[in-house]
Amino acid sequence: MDGKRLAQGLLNATGDDLRLVYALVMETKLYDLLLAKAKDVMTKDLNHFEQNLQEEIKRLHQYPDEQLQLQLFLYMLEQLEIKGAHYNLLTEIEYACTQIVEKAHALQLKQDKQYKQFAEKRDEQPSVSLVLYQMQKIFESFDQGRADLDDETTENLIQQIEAYIQSLPLEKQRQIKEKLNIDELTNSTIQQLIATQGTAVLMAIIVEVAGFAAFTTLTSTIAATAGLLGVTLPFGAYMFATSALSILTGPVGLALIAVGGGALINYQNKKVRKAFIPIGIVQLLLPAVIEEKQPVQVERFIQEWQKLYDKQQKILQEIATYEMTQQQQQAKKDVFKEQMRLQTDQHAKKQAMLTNKLAAIEKCSDLIAVHEKSPAYIQLTGEMANILQTMNKKRNEIEANRKQAGLWNTVKNTFANQSITSQLKELNEKYRLKEQLRIEEVVKMKPQQLKAQCITAEEYQFELDQLQKEIQITRTSIQQTKDAISTTERQIQQLKGECKKHQKKWYGLEHIV
């Protein structure tokens, strides 16, 4: 029943009534209340809290009712730490509302000792306890302020109540008289009832008979007529303001005002905003608790939630598609890497075969007839001989330096020999290069005695060149695949960020991925 009542109140809330609750619960911060209270002290003829509230309600008219209903619903779930679920059916919404009422009830029990005593005495359902307690607090505030009213204001107040009762249907008037155990509802009888039993008793009976409309009308009328607490707000804001006032004048509020520190205000703001949740829930519960059950318009609410869920599912599906693509790209890269490994192994084997073949040709180079030697071969042979001759001279220099006696010669020749050794390394490298070029020239010459070996060497070289091209193509494919994987990873991260942002804005979606 609790869930049905809250769902009814939430889904039937529209227009300014909905925006009032939304603004009070979701947009009002402790800092705003403190600032408004401070401004009221400076400008006593203006209620800054009411002014800010009206501006916020006006701003909220740009959003449709169902969007605000859903945001308010999800905000209450988040503040009360209730996990999100699917809301495709009214029963699912009502179940979540049951959890909200139960949590709000438990929160109110924990933070308000008077409410705990009230609830234990009455033993009502949580939704009823929350509403009746708040109504009692409102009525009590009227009684507390009534003693300070002058005779003229008191008379005006009684006339307002009498006029409202007289405006009710005769059957409703009869029921009120019966419950009050009086014969007539006149100015004098009302005055006597208020004097002996208080405004609270009279108000409670009128509301019990006349319903929600009586509560909203009379609370606003009495507050405005009597000027209680300086409140001229709609009933919802009045209830919120009285509760907020108790917080602001309580230990937390006094500490904040005394310290005046922004850090402390920010620290307590979350806690205080959570304390306002039960107040907002009461606003929504009031019509459903006081009056009979009314049919709810749930279709647009569900459609609004479904749009949010569908957007999340679309993003998740895109992520899944990209992740599958990434897996395929990774598998493709692994294939290319294995392919290149095989190509590299084959290249190494073929290179070893060519090296051995060229070494064999070099060993047999003395079989080349003089007339078969090309000018390039002859020139390379001469250059190699010159290099060998130079290397022998360098070695002799080193040997001669080592034989010189004396400390100075030893130091000087040590550095000299290091330089000559470095030159020898360069000459040896130069010799090896010339040797390689001469072997290649032999292969080109194809002398009669080595023709078969030279042809085989050329075949090996051709195969090596082809393998090198294939390796390069594979290496390029690997790099392209790596780039594609990186691009896909960025797309996945971007979508995950978009999904996280969507889930942060709309509480509960992360629980049903």
Short mmCIF file of all heavy atoms in Angstrom, two decimals, residues 224-269:
data_model
loop_
_atom_site.label_atom_id
_atom_site.label_comp_id
_atom_site.label_asym_id
_atom_site.label_seq_id
_atom_site.Cartn_x
_atom_site.Cartn_y
_atom_site.Cartn_z
N ALA A 224 -1.05 32.43 5.64
CA ALA A 224 -1.04 33.77 5.05
C ALA A 224 -1.79 34.76 5.93
O ALA A 224 -1.35 35.89 6.14
CB ALA A 224 -1.67 33.72 3.66
N THR A 225 -2.96 34.34 6.46
CA THR A 225 -3.79 35.24 7.27
C THR A 225 -3.11 35.58 8.59
O THR A 225 -3.05 36.74 9.01
CB THR A 225 -5.15 34.59 7.55
OG1 THR A 225 -5.78 34.27 6.32
CG2 THR A 225 -6.04 35.52 8.36
N ALA A 226 -2.58 34.56 9.24
CA ALA A 226 -1.99 34.77 10.57
C ALA A 226 -0.55 35.24 10.48
O ALA A 226 0.01 35.71 11.47
CB ALA A 226 -2.06 33.47 11.37
N GLY A 227 0.07 35.09 9.30
CA GLY A 227 1.46 35.51 9.15
C GLY A 227 2.40 34.67 9.98
O GLY A 227 3.44 35.14 10.44
N LEU A 228 2.02 33.41 10.20
CA LEU A 228 2.85 32.55 11.05
C LEU A 228 4.20 32.31 10.39
O LEU A 228 4.30 31.92 9.23
CB LEU A 228 2.13 31.21 11.27
CG LEU A 228 0.76 31.29 11.96
CD1 LEU A 228 0.15 29.93 12.07
CD2 LEU A 228 0.90 31.94 13.34
N LEU A 229 5.25 32.54 11.14
CA LEU A 229 6.63 32.36 10.71
C LEU A 229 6.95 33.22 9.48
O LEU A 229 7.94 32.99 8.81
CB LEU A 229 6.91 30.87 10.36
CG LEU A 229 6.75 29.88 11.51
CD1 LEU A 229 6.97 28.47 11.00
CD2 LEU A 229 7.72 30.19 12.63
N GLY A 230 6.06 34.15 9.15
CA GLY A 230 6.29 34.98 7.97
C GLY A 230 6.12 34.20 6.68
O GLY A 230 6.58 34.61 5.63
N VAL A 231 5.44 33.06 6.71
CA VAL A 231 5.34 32.19 5.54
C VAL A 231 4.08 32.51 4.76
O VAL A 231 2.99 32.54 5.31
CB VAL A 231 5.33 30.70 5.95
CG1 VAL A 231 5.11 29.82 4.73
CG2 VAL A 231 6.64 30.36 6.62
N THR A 232 4.23 32.77 3.48
CA THR A 232 3.09 32.95 2.58
C THR A 232 3.23 32.02 1.39
O THR A 232 2.71 32.27 0.32
CB THR A 232 3.03 34.40 2.08
OG1 THR A 232 4.25 34.72 1.40
CG2 THR A 232 2.82 35.37 3.23
N LEU A 233 3.94 30.94 1.60
CA LEU A 233 4.24 30.00 0.51
C LEU A 233 3.10 29.01 0.32
O LEU A 233 2.25 28.85 1.19
CB LEU A 233 5.51 29.21 0.85
CG LEU A 233 6.79 30.03 1.08
CD1 LEU A 233 7.87 29.12 1.62
CD2 LEU A 233 7.23 30.68 -0.21
N PRO A 234 3.11 28.28 -0.82
CA PRO A 234 2.18 27.16 -0.97
C PRO A 234 2.44 26.13 0.13
O PRO A 234 3.51 26.10 0.74
CB PRO A 234 2.54 26.60 -2.35
CG PRO A 234 3.22 27.72 -3.06
CD PRO A 234 3.92 28.51 -2.00
N PHE A 235 1.45 25.26 0.36
CA PHE A 235 1.54 24.36 1.51
C PHE A 235 2.80 23.51 1.49
O PHE A 235 3.41 23.25 2.52
CB PHE A 235 0.30 23.45 1.57
CG PHE A 235 0.35 22.30 0.62
CD1 PHE A 235 0.79 21.04 1.03
CD2 PHE A 235 -0.02 22.46 -0.70
CE1 PHE A 235 0.85 19.99 0.14
CE2 PHE A 235 0.04 21.40 -1.59
CZ PHE A 235 0.46 20.17 -1.18
N GLY A 236 3.21 23.05 0.30
CA GLY A 236 4.41 22.21 0.23
C GLY A 236 5.64 22.94 0.67
O GLY A 236 6.46 22.44 1.44
N ALA A 237 5.78 24.18 0.19
CA ALA A 237 6.94 24.98 0.58
C ALA A 237 6.87 25.34 2.05
O ALA A 237 7.88 25.45 2.73
CB ALA A 237 7.00 26.25 -0.27
N TYR A 238 5.66 25.51 2.56
CA TYR A 238 5.48 25.82 3.99
C TYR A 238 6.02 24.67 4.83
O TYR A 238 6.77 24.86 5.79
CB TYR A 238 4.01 26.07 4.29
CG TYR A 238 3.77 26.39 5.75
CD1 TYR A 238 3.92 27.69 6.23
CD2 TYR A 238 3.45 25.38 6.67
CE1 TYR A 238 3.73 27.99 7.57
CE2 TYR A 238 3.26 25.67 8.00
CZ TYR A 238 3.40 26.96 8.45
OH TYR A 238 3.23 27.25 9.77
N MET A 239 5.61 23.46 4.46
CA MET A 239 6.08 22.28 5.20
C MET A 239 7.59 22.17 5.12
O MET A 239 8.27 21.88 6.10
CB MET A 239 5.43 21.01 4.63
CG MET A 239 3.94 20.93 4.87
SD MET A 239 3.18 19.59 3.93
CE MET A 239 3.98 18.18 4.67
N PHE A 240 8.11 22.42 3.92
CA PHE A 240 9.56 22.33 3.73
C PHE A 240 10.27 23.40 4.56
O PHE A 240 11.28 23.12 5.21
CB PHE A 240 9.89 22.52 2.25
CG PHE A 240 11.34 22.33 1.92
CD1 PHE A 240 11.83 21.08 1.60
CD2 PHE A 240 12.22 23.39 1.95
CE1 PHE A 240 13.16 20.90 1.31
CE2 PHE A 240 13.55 23.21 1.66
CZ PHE A 240 14.02 21.96 1.34
N ALA A 241 9.73 24.60 4.52
CA ALA A 241 10.38 25.70 5.23
C ALA A 241 10.39 25.47 6.74
O ALA A 241 11.38 25.77 7.42
CB ALA A 241 9.65 27.01 4.91
N THR A 242 9.30 24.94 7.30
CA THR A 242 9.27 24.68 8.74
C THR A 242 10.28 23.61 9.12
O THR A 242 10.96 23.71 10.14
CB THR A 242 7.87 24.23 9.19
OG1 THR A 242 7.45 23.11 8.41
CG2 THR A 242 6.86 25.34 9.01
N SER A 243 10.40 22.58 8.28
CA SER A 243 11.39 21.53 8.55
C SER A 243 12.80 22.06 8.37
O SER A 243 13.70 21.75 9.15
CB SER A 243 11.16 20.34 7.60
OG SER A 243 9.87 19.81 7.79
N ALA A 244 13.00 22.85 7.31
CA ALA A 244 14.33 23.43 7.08
C ALA A 244 14.73 24.34 8.22
O ALA A 244 15.88 24.38 8.64
CB ALA A 244 14.33 24.20 5.76
N LEU A 245 13.75 25.08 8.75
CA LEU A 245 14.02 25.99 9.87
C LEU A 245 14.51 25.22 11.09
O LEU A 245 15.43 25.65 11.79
CB LEU A 245 12.77 26.79 10.21
CG LEU A 245 12.92 27.82 11.34
CD1 LEU A 245 13.92 28.88 10.93
CD2 LEU A 245 11.58 28.44 11.68
N SER A 246 13.91 24.05 11.33
CA SER A 246 14.33 23.25 12.48
C SER A 246 15.77 22.77 12.30
O SER A 246 16.52 22.64 13.27
CB SER A 246 13.39 22.05 12.66
OG SER A 246 13.51 21.14 11.59
N ILE A 247 16.15 22.50 11.05
CA ILE A 247 17.52 22.07 10.78
C ILE A 247 18.49 23.24 10.95
O ILE A 247 19.55 23.13 11.55
CB ILE A 247 17.62 21.49 9.35
CG1 ILE A 247 16.84 20.17 9.27
CG2 ILE A 247 19.07 21.25 8.95
CD1 ILE A 247 16.75 19.60 7.88
N LEU A 248 18.07 24.38 10.42
CA LEU A 248 18.95 25.55 10.47
C LEU A 248 19.16 26.05 11.90
O LEU A 248 20.19 26.64 12.21
CB LEU A 248 18.37 26.68 9.61
CG LEU A 248 18.39 26.44 8.10
CD1 LEU A 248 17.71 27.59 7.37
CD2 LEU A 248 19.81 26.27 7.59
N THR A 249 18.17 25.86 12.74
CA THR A 249 18.29 26.30 14.14
C THR A 249 18.73 25.18 15.06
O THR A 249 18.84 25.37 16.27
CB THR A 249 16.94 26.87 14.64
OG1 THR A 249 15.93 25.87 14.47
CG2 THR A 249 16.56 28.11 13.85
N GLY A 250 18.97 23.99 14.49
CA GLY A 250 19.47 22.87 15.27
C GLY A 250 20.98 22.91 15.37
O GLY A 250 21.62 23.87 14.93
N PRO A 251 21.58 21.88 15.96
CA PRO A 251 23.04 21.86 16.17
C PRO A 251 23.83 22.03 14.88
O PRO A 251 24.81 22.77 14.85
CB PRO A 251 23.27 20.46 16.78
CG PRO A 251 21.96 20.10 17.40
CD PRO A 251 20.90 20.71 16.53
N VAL A 252 23.41 21.36 13.82
CA VAL A 252 24.15 21.47 12.56
C VAL A 252 24.08 22.88 12.01
O VAL A 252 25.08 23.48 11.64
CB VAL A 252 23.60 20.46 11.51
CG1 VAL A 252 24.27 20.69 10.16
CG2 VAL A 252 23.83 19.04 11.98
N GLY A 253 22.85 23.42 11.95
CA GLY A 253 22.68 24.76 11.41
C GLY A 253 23.41 25.81 12.21
O GLY A 253 24.05 26.70 11.66
N LEU A 254 23.30 25.73 13.53
CA LEU A 254 23.97 26.70 14.38
C LEU A 254 25.48 26.63 14.22
O LEU A 254 26.16 27.66 14.21
CB LEU A 254 23.58 26.46 15.85
CG LEU A 254 22.10 26.77 16.20
CD1 LEU A 254 21.81 26.38 17.64
CD2 LEU A 254 21.78 28.24 15.95
N ALA A 255 26.00 25.42 14.09
CA ALA A 255 27.44 25.27 13.89
C ALA A 255 27.87 25.91 12.57
O ALA A 255 28.89 26.60 12.49
CB ALA A 255 27.82 23.80 13.90
N LEU A 256 27.07 25.70 11.54
CA LEU A 256 27.40 26.26 10.24
C LEU A 256 27.37 27.78 10.27
O LEU A 256 28.23 28.45 9.71
CB LEU A 256 26.42 25.74 9.18
CG LEU A 256 26.54 24.26 8.84
CD1 LEU A 256 25.35 23.81 8.01
CD2 LEU A 256 27.83 24.00 8.08
N ILE A 257 26.34 28.31 10.91
CA ILE A 257 26.21 29.76 10.98
C ILE A 257 27.34 30.35 11.81
O ILE A 257 27.91 31.39 11.48
CB ILE A 257 24.84 30.14 11.57
CG1 ILE A 257 23.72 29.70 10.61
CG2 ILE A 257 24.76 31.64 11.83
CD1 ILE A 257 22.33 29.82 11.19
N ALA A 258 27.69 29.68 12.92
CA ALA A 258 28.74 30.19 13.81
C ALA A 258 30.10 30.19 13.11
O ALA A 258 30.84 31.16 13.16
CB ALA A 258 28.79 29.35 15.08
N VAL A 259 30.41 29.08 12.46
CA VAL A 259 31.71 28.97 11.81
C VAL A 259 31.74 29.80 10.53
O VAL A 259 32.71 30.48 10.23
CB VAL A 259 32.03 27.49 11.48
CG1 VAL A 259 33.32 27.38 10.69
CG2 VAL A 259 32.11 26.70 12.78
N GLY A 260 30.62 29.72 9.77
CA GLY A 260 30.53 30.49 8.53
C GLY A 260 31.51 30.01 7.49
O GLY A 260 31.91 30.76 6.60
N GLY A 261 31.94 28.79 7.58
CA GLY A 261 32.94 28.28 6.65
C GLY A 261 32.33 27.53 5.49
O GLY A 261 31.44 26.70 5.67
N GLY A 262 32.78 27.83 4.27
CA GLY A 262 32.26 27.15 3.09
C GLY A 262 32.55 25.67 3.10
O GLY A 262 31.73 24.86 2.66
N ALA A 263 33.73 25.28 3.61
CA ALA A 263 34.10 23.86 3.63
C ALA A 263 33.14 23.06 4.49
O ALA A 263 32.71 21.96 4.12
CB ALA A 263 35.53 23.70 4.14
N LEU A 264 32.80 23.60 5.67
CA LEU A 264 31.89 22.90 6.56
C LEU A 264 30.49 22.81 5.96
O LEU A 264 29.81 21.80 6.07
CB LEU A 264 31.84 23.61 7.91
CG LEU A 264 30.98 22.94 9.00
CD1 LEU A 264 31.45 21.51 9.24
CD2 LEU A 264 31.03 23.75 10.29
N ILE A 265 30.07 23.88 5.29
CA ILE A 265 28.76 23.89 4.64
C ILE A 265 28.71 22.80 3.56
O ILE A 265 27.75 22.05 3.47
CB ILE A 265 28.45 25.27 4.04
CG1 ILE A 265 28.23 26.29 5.16
CG2 ILE A 265 27.23 25.22 3.13
CD1 ILE A 265 28.02 27.71 4.67
N ASN A 266 29.76 22.73 2.74
CA ASN A 266 29.80 21.72 1.68
C ASN A 266 29.81 20.31 2.26
O ASN A 266 29.19 19.40 1.71
CB ASN A 266 31.04 21.93 0.80
CG ASN A 266 30.93 23.20 -0.03
OD1 ASN A 266 29.83 23.63 -0.34
ND2 ASN A 266 32.06 23.79 -0.37
N TYR A 267 30.51 20.16 3.38
CA TYR A 267 30.60 18.84 4.01
C TYR A 267 29.25 18.37 4.51
O TYR A 267 28.87 17.20 4.39
CB TYR A 267 31.61 18.91 5.16
CG TYR A 267 31.71 17.62 5.95
CD1 TYR A 267 32.42 16.53 5.45
CD2 TYR A 267 31.10 17.49 7.20
CE1 TYR A 267 32.52 15.35 6.16
CE2 TYR A 267 31.19 16.31 7.92
CZ TYR A 267 31.91 15.25 7.40
OH TYR A 267 31.99 14.08 8.10
N GLN A 268 28.49 19.30 5.10
CA GLN A 268 27.19 18.95 5.68
C GLN A 268 26.05 18.97 4.66
O GLN A 268 24.98 18.43 4.92
CB GLN A 268 26.85 19.93 6.82
CG GLN A 268 27.75 19.81 8.04
CD GLN A 268 27.48 18.54 8.82
OE1 GLN A 268 26.54 17.82 8.56
NE2 GLN A 268 28.35 18.26 9.78
N ASN A 269 26.29 19.59 3.52
CA ASN A 269 25.19 19.79 2.57
C ASN A 269 24.57 18.47 2.12
O ASN A 269 23.34 18.35 2.05
CB ASN A 269 25.70 20.55 1.34
CG ASN A 269 24.57 20.94 0.41
OD1 ASN A 269 23.63 21.62 0.79
ND2 ASN A 269 24.64 20.47 -0.82
#
